[in-house]
Amino acid sequence: MLKVDNVTKYYGENLAVDNLSFEVNNGEIFGLLGVNGAGKTTTFRMIIGLLEMSSGSITLDDQPINYSNTNQIGFLTEERSLLTKLTVKEQVIMYGILKGMKEKEILEKLDYWLERFHIKEYRERKIKELSKGNQQKIQFITAIINEPKLLILDEPFTGLDPINVALFVEVMKEFKEKGSIIIFSSHRMEHVEMFCDNLVILVKGKSVLQGSIKEIKKEYRKKNIHIIGDVKTEDLKNIKGVVEVEENAMEIIVKIESEKYIDDVFEVVKNSKNIIKFMVEDPSLNEIFLNKVGEVYED
Ligand code: ATP
């Protein structure tokens, strides 16, 4: 288990991470979400020991993270850190050896992953000759070459097309199945909703929402009602508990404070003509994220 306990980081006067705590179990995918500058990269750097915390503690299976367990960690950095004059093979061998692996094992794994990522023809090519997306795949391979127990992925999907996002997610799920702890950052909520077990949303270094997607949606309480029919939006806006009414080419979306106002909306809708849809939905994670981030910035 990875345990981040009351971690705070100051850069001089600037508070980058503010008393952050979370736990990630073996076989779990955890999302660290936040806008630019929220403190995601700083948190990752503290986890792998590249940055000292101002206070707090971080442990992997109850042990502090240091040279004794660093071989169990894989890290994909946000700023691309490949040595672009090296060939793919040279680069991956270098990373594997740093993680205590033997060259024969590295090459076997490299060939397997190049095949999986459909780039085996690039094995002997210089990194700088590869497209950005393919360089990203090499970064990912270097992060997983040692079959890490703790896999940290800082913005892994940047610059990837949807097919390759799906491929990365497939591999992340395989590592999850094998019991690895996977922690990744993103500001793209649609990625997160698909496969993340638990998450934390950071705003200005502080956790503003934490838990499973289900719990987060439950705690958020607001609901969206999707309506198709001849309903006057003015009538909907006047209902107590209605926060907002949006209308697009397809439907009307009524945002309500909590589910206790569903009946009140239904009372207005049921007397209208041509109703072919009345559907209550949880808001998307993206909507919750924007709302939470907005609340903090308005304070
Ligand atoms: P992004 O999504 O843009 O990568 P992030 O969530 O990873 O952002 P961090 O890079 O961790 O955010 O930055 C958190 C805060 O710490 C920001 O206010 C940033 O300006 C500050 N910061 C980051 N690195 C340093 C540094 N080396 N020196 C001083 N301040 C820093």
Side-chain angles (χ1 to χ4, degrees), residues 186-299:
S186 182
H187 41 254
R188 300 278 301 276
M189 297 306 123
E190 69 275 24
H191 293 150
V192 178
E193 213 154 1
M194 287 189 302
F195 62 87
C196 188
D197 297 305
N198 286 302
L199 59 92
V200 57
I201 296 180
L202 285 183
V203 181
K204 298 181 186 168
K206 212 176 172 56
S207 159
V208 293
L209 258 188
Q210 206 159 342
S212 69
I213 291 177
K214 216 168 150 190
E215 281 161 5
I216 283 175
K217 288 194 169 176
K218 200 164 151 210
E219 187 185 319
Y220 186 68
R221 296 180 67 228
K222 290 182 184 152
K223 300 273 174 206
N224 295 340
I225 306 177
H226 298 250
I227 303 165
I228 300 180
D230 299 336
V231 191
K232 289 204 189 88
T233 52
E234 276 314 305
D235 294 346
L236 295 167
K237 281 180 190 163
N238 291 331
I239 303 170
K240 181 170 173 271
V242 169
V243 188
E244 200 185 336
V245 179
E246 261 177 43
E247 195 170 8
N248 62 35
M250 297 285 292
E251 57 184 11
I252 299 168
I253 304 165
V254 183
K255 297 178 190 286
I256 53 173
E257 204 57 66
S258 81
E259 59 190 9
K260 75 175 185 199
Y261 299 106
I262 296 171
D263 288 348
D264 301 331
V265 176
F266 188 70
E267 277 306 308
V268 170
V269 172
K270 81 174 188 208
N271 296 321
S272 308
K273 293 219 167 67
N274 302 321
I275 300 298
I276 52 170
K277 180 174 178 182
F278 183 92
M279 192 173 82
V280 183
E281 270 195 344
D282 284 328
S284 66
L285 190 59
N286 196 40
E287 193 176 330
I288 298 173
F289 177 79
L290 289 174
N291 204 293
K292 277 286 157 190
V293 173
E295 269 174 23
V296 175
Y297 279 90
E298 277 162 22
D299 277 352

Side-chain angles (χ1 to χ4, degrees), residues 29-50:
I29 302 181
F30 187 88
L32 196 57
L33 313 179
V35 294
N36 295 127
K40 304 180 295 290
T41 301
T42 300
T43 303
F44 287 151
R45 291 202 174 136
M46 290 189 287
I47 293 174
I48 58 167
L50 267 180

